[in-house]
Amino acid sequence: MKFRTLMVAAIVAMLPQFKAGAQVNLPAGSTSTQLSDLMIALQFQHIKLWFAGKHGN
């Protein structure tokens, strides 16, 4: 129970920084995105999907 509570608190604390499903904001005139930005956004989408599946949502 403590682990699940800790994980949920950690994800909730990070959500304002990384909005899952949102476009990655690029500077004006930039055509490339850093791989790390894309991977972080994708990781948070997968975390949300995993929790939704685990809880039957």
Side-chain angles (χ1 to χ4, degrees), residues 24-43:
V24 176
N25 294 331
L26 297 174
S30 175
T31 57
S32 66
T33 305
Q34 294 215 353
L35 181 60
S36 62
D37 294 336
L38 294 174
M39 290 180 73
I40 289 170
L42 187 61
Q43 180 181 9

Side-chain angles (χ1 to χ4, degrees), residues 51-57:
F51 272 110
K54 185 167 174 90
H55 293 289
N57 292 334

Side-chain angles (χ1 to χ4, degrees), residues 3-55:
F3 179 73
R4 187 166 87 181
T5 305
L6 180 63
M7 289 301 294
V8 170
I11 290 171
V12 169
M14 289 186 227
L15 284 179
Q17 296 172 357
F18 305 104
K19 296 175 184 159
Q23 294 286 333
V24 176
N25 294 331
L26 297 174
S30 175
T31 57
S32 66
T33 305
Q34 294 215 353
L35 181 60
S36 62
D37 294 336
L38 294 174
M39 290 180 73
I40 289 170
L42 187 61
Q43 180 181 9
F44 279 103
Q45 288 176 349
H46 286 168
I47 290 170
K48 287 178 121 181
L49 285 172
W50 182 81
F51 272 110
K54 185 167 174 90
H55 293 289

